[in-house]
């Protein structure tokens, strides 16, 4: 068993308790350029030693390769980890480079079986709808997901990038344990509707990209100049051209707070996200992604940083000044449909 160094939070009203910070595993095999498998495996092990127990993947990450990569680690630590994966981003047979959103019953049944096989587990602990297909009533989608629970293939249900109204409609069909949405110093749109709805319904928030896809750590300043050709951040409006220059300047108050706490920029960004649990009175479990043991140690360290009122006042204005949307097409994000 692990010797946890971080607090825990519960997923929903009846879900498992997990370390208050999870691990986003996408970049270990998808999206962020070349990775080192050995180093990624060491990162998984180190995270568990530090009390990280929620591990997040999806069938769309590397067309299933991320689930396959994680499978041996999950198998070795099945009783210690909570496995979260997702469905909805399907690969059309005529173009393997594209993704289409599918929330229909036949696809969900096919997807859950494929994920179970790739992960080599009997049950998925937390199964998310990755993105919302507005042409399929969410009640129908969640109804099929609920069938997966009754059939013993899934334990808890989650949704990603849904609006407050969509969450409410889903909850009326089956309890939702977690909602995953982007939430960071740069991305605060979910605070208007999604967060208060989740609080009311007893749903845990799982912020993804709490480090602004690495931008908030200062690890890159312009995606076109600093990142490899295969890095998907080069397609995101915030990280290129004039937007990148504008947003890089917004890190100055983060640097000031980091210096005051003898912390890294990333630790301050994560500490701010963790603080939102107190501000909004709801459980949350951010899932920063990394492929390096040293970075997971750094990220876990953020759970012990307490920001002062002065710190928070410095950080508060940042989001309103961010240039560019978080996606080129915001209809796939909750803010594009609220």
């Amino acid at each position: 068993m692990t010797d946890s160094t971080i607090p825990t939070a519960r997923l929903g009203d009846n879900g498992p308790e997990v370390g208050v910070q999870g691990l986003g595993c996408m970049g270990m095999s998808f999206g962020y350029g070349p990775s080192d498998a050995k180093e990624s495996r060491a990162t998984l092990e180190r995270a568990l030693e530090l009390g990280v127990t929620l591990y997040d993947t999806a069938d769309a990450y590397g067309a299933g390769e991320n689930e396959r990569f994680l499978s041996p680690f999950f198998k070795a630590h099945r009783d210690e980890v909570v496995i979260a994966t997702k469905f909805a981003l399907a690969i059309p047979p005529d173009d393997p480079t594209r993704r289409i959103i599918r929330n229909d019953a036949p696809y969900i049944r096919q997807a859950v079986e494929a994920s179970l096989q790739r992960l080599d587990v009997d049950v998925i602990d937390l199964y998310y709808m990755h993105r919302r297909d507005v042409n399929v009533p969410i009640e129908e989608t969640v109804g099929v997901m609920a069938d997966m629970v009754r059939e013993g293939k899934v334990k808890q249900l989650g949704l990603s990038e849904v609006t407050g109204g969509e969450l409410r409609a889903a909850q009326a069909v089956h309890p939702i344990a977690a909602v995953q949405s982007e939430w960071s110093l740069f991305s605060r749109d979910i605070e208007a509707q999604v967060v208060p709805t989740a609080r009311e319904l007893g749903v845990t928030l799982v912020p993804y990209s709490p480090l602004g896809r690495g931008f908030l750590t200062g690890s890159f300043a312009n995606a076109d100049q600093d990142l490899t050709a295969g890095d998907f951040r080069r397609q995101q409006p915030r990280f290129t051209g004039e937007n990148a220059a504008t947003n890089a300047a917004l890190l100055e108050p983060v640097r000031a707070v980091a210096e005051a706490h003898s912390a890294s920029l990333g630790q301050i960004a994560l500490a701010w996200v963790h603080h939102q649990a107190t501000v909004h009175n709801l459980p949350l479990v951010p899932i920063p992604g990394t492929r390096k043991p040293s970075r997971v140690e750094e990220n876990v360290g953020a759970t012990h940083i307490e920001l002062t009122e002065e710190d928070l006042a410095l950080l508060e204005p940042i989001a309103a000044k961010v240039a560019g949307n978080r996606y080129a097409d915001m209809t796939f994000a909750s803010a594009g449909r609220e």
Side-chain angles (χ1 to χ4, degrees), residues 57-297:
T57 182
D59 60 1
Y61 300 160
E65 284 305 312
N66 199 248
E67 290 179 324
R68 291 189 187 96
F69 172 77
L70 294 168
S71 176
F73 170 74
F74 290 154
K75 210 166 184 183
H77 301 285
R78 188 64 188 97
D79 295 336
E80 301 168 85
V81 301
V82 173
I83 301 170
T85 192
K86 316 177 194 72
F87 74 89
L89 298 180
I91 302 173
D94 59 336
D95 186 356
T97 65
R98 288 180 57 229
R99 298 291 186 273
I100 57 175
I101 300 176
R102 289 189 61 180
N103 290 174
D104 55 285
Y107 182 75
I108 297 171
R109 294 186 178 281
Q110 170 190 330
V112 73
E113 295 295 344
S115 284
L116 286 167
Q117 184 175 18
R118 285 189 294 263
L119 292 165
D120 195 18
V121 296
D122 296 326
V123 61
I124 295 165
D125 300 314
L126 176 60
Y127 199 46
Y128 286 102
M129 180 188 77
H130 203 162
R131 289 293 185 270
R132 167 98 164 92
D133 179 356
V134 296
N135 298 308
V136 179
I138 197 164
E139 295 86 351
E140 290 185 17
T141 300
V142 176
V144 178
M145 295 170 72
D147 288 342
M148 302 296 100
V149 176
R150 286 187 284 271
E151 293 169 16
K153 296 172 182 177
V154 171
K155 290 183 179 179
Q156 304 288 333
L157 301 185
L159 304 170
S160 180
E161 288 291 355
V162 292
T163 67
E166 290 164 351
L167 174 56
R168 194 177 300 279
Q171 180 81 358
V173 176
H174 189 278
I176 303 299
V179 165
Q180 185 175 127
S181 288
E182 187 166 354
W183 199 4
S184 72
L185 282 168
F186 269 23
S187 301
R188 298 182 58 179
D189 48 69
I190 66 167
E191 293 174 25
Q193 298 292 333
V194 179
V195 170
T197 303
R199 179 179 62 241
E200 175 191 339
L201 300 176
V203 178
T204 298
L205 249 295
V206 178
Y208 73 82
S209 297
L211 296 173
R213 304 190 186 280
F215 196 86
L216 285 165
T217 70
S219 61
F220 73 99
N222 185 299
D224 287 333
Q225 299 170 10
D226 302 335
L227 303 179
T228 61
D231 196 308
F232 87 112
R233 289 171 291 184
R234 293 175 61 145
Q235 304 168 19
Q236 295 187 299
R238 289 183 174 174
F239 306 138
T240 58
E242 293 183 3
N243 286 348
T246 297
N247 295 334
L250 298 178
L251 297 183
E252 288 311 307
V254 186
R255 286 193 177 91
V257 175
E259 184 175 345
H261 286 267
S262 299
S264 69
L265 274 70
Q267 286 178 319
I268 297 304
L270 279 172
W272 181 90
V273 174
H274 282 291
H275 182 72
Q276 301 315 301
T278 300
V279 172
H280 298 280
N281 190 29
L282 85 168
L284 61 83
V285 183
I287 50 169
T290 185
R291 313 184 278 208
K292 297 180 179 180
S294 61
R295 290 296 188 194
V296 85
E297 292 168 1

Side-chain angles (χ1 to χ4, degrees), residues 5-6 21-23 28 39 42-52 55 211 262-264 266-268 270-271 274 288-305:
T5 64
I6 59 176
Q21 189 165 284
L23 182 63
M28 293 179 177
E39 189 171 46
T43 301
L44 294 167
E45 296 286 351
R46 185 63 180 134
L48 188 59
E49 290 172 357
L50 294 169
V52 174
Y55 293 81
L211 296 173
S262 299
S264 69
Q267 286 178 319
I268 297 304
L270 279 172
H274 282 291
T290 185
R291 313 184 278 208
K292 297 180 179 180
S294 61
R295 290 296 188 194
V296 85
E297 292 168 1
E298 178 183 321
N299 292 345
V300 166
T303 65
H304 303 298
I305 295 175

